[in-house]
Every structure is written in structure tokens, then in C-alpha cells.
């Protein structure tokens, strides 16, 4: 995933952790995890996402990223769509349906990282940033 690194150690660690968390829930689902397990993952994920957005917006303001307003709006929209998945999760009664929720969460996150987070990368100056 080196190609998705933004060059800030904290932000890159948070991005990496999302993939680890999603990987763990995919494995749990493959193992027949209950809805409660997936719901707990979803709740924890929202907490990590809120913390990440806050840290990322602090970084963007520190580096005077010119498109911060747009990026914040994207974060708000992403948070709304991930939060809305809780309802689908609450009524999902099969592993397949829960897998759809997890897949939507991953897709939404990857799209944001690839399309939006990559746009601020060139403003981050951390030459010896940890690579992944
Ligand atoms: Fe972002
Ligand atoms: Fe991000």
C-alpha cells in the first residue's frame, strides 16, 4: 500500500490500521461471526474514523492545505454514509448482507483515500516518512 502513503507518520498509521481492522472483520465473517461482532466492529470503526478525520483536518490546517473546506465536506459526507450503514446492519439477517455492509465501508474508505487524501500528499513535507 506504499502508493497510498501521504507522508505523515500518524495519518499513514491510521490509514494502515483501517485496513487491519477491516481485514480482521472479513476473517471473522468468514468464520461465521455474529451480527453483534460486526456491529461492534462498525461502532469502533466510526470512533476511529472520527478521530482520524479530526487528526487529518488538523494536519491539513497546519500545512495550509488550500482545499481544506472541500476535504472537510468530503469527511462529513463519508461519515454520514458509514454511519447510515448501522441501520442496514441492524436488519441484516445473513452473513452475505453483513458482507455487503463491510464491502461498502471498505470501498467508501478506499475511494476517499485514493481520490481525496492523495490530493493533499504533495503539501506534506516528511521526506523520511515511514513507508508502507
Ligand atoms: Fe481525508
Ligand atoms: Fe484519511
Amino acid at each position: 500500500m506504499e502508493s497510498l502513503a501521504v507522508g505523515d507518520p500518524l495519518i499513514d498509521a491510521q490509514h494502515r490500521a483501517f485496513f487491519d481492522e477491516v481485514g480482521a472483520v472479513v476473517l471473522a465473517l468468514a468464520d461465521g461471526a455474529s451480527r453483534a461482532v460486526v456491529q461492534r466492529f462498525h461502532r469502533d470503526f466510526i470512533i476511529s474514523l472520527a478521530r482520524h478525520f479530526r487528526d487529518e483536518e488538523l494536519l491539513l490546517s497546519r500545512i495550509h492545505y488550500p482545499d481544506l473546506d472541500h476535504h472537510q465536506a468530503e469527511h462529513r459526507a463519508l461519515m454520514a454514509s458509514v454511519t447510515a450503514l448501522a441501520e442496514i446492519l441492524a436488519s441484516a439477517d445473513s452473513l452475505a448482507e453483513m458482507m455487503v455492509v463491510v464491502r461498502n465501508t471498505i470501498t467508501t474508505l478506499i475511494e476517499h483515500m485514493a481520490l481525496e487524501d492523495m490530493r493533499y500528499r504533495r503539501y506534506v513535507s516528511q521526506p523520511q516518512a515511514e513507508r508502507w
Side-chain angles (χ1 to χ4, degrees), residues 56 71 75 112 117:
E56 198 173 75
H71 204 100
H75 281 174
H112 175 79
D117 287 353

Side-chain angles (χ1 to χ4, degrees), residues 1 12 16 20 31 36 38-39 41 51 53 69 72 75 77-78 89 103 127:
M1 298 301 289
D12 284 331
R16 263 197 310 272
D20 293 345
D31 234 18
V38 182
Q39 282 176 317
F41 157 78
R51 187 181 305 133
F53 285 168
D69 286 353
Q72 279 175 322
H75 281 174
L78 205 155
L89 213 47
R103 201 180 303 132

Side-chain angles (χ1 to χ4, degrees), residues 77-97:
L78 205 155
M79 183 54 93
S81 79
V82 172
T83 306
L85 292 173
E87 258 181 67
I88 301 172
L89 213 47
S91 60
D93 44 22
S94 70
L95 278 179
E97 279 181 67

Side-chain angles (χ1 to χ4, degrees), residues 13-27 41 132:
Q14 289 173 336
H15 282 166
R16 263 197 310 272
F18 287 135
F19 285 98
D20 293 345
E21 285 168 33
V22 167
V25 80
V26 167
L27 283 181
F41 157 78
W132 56 312

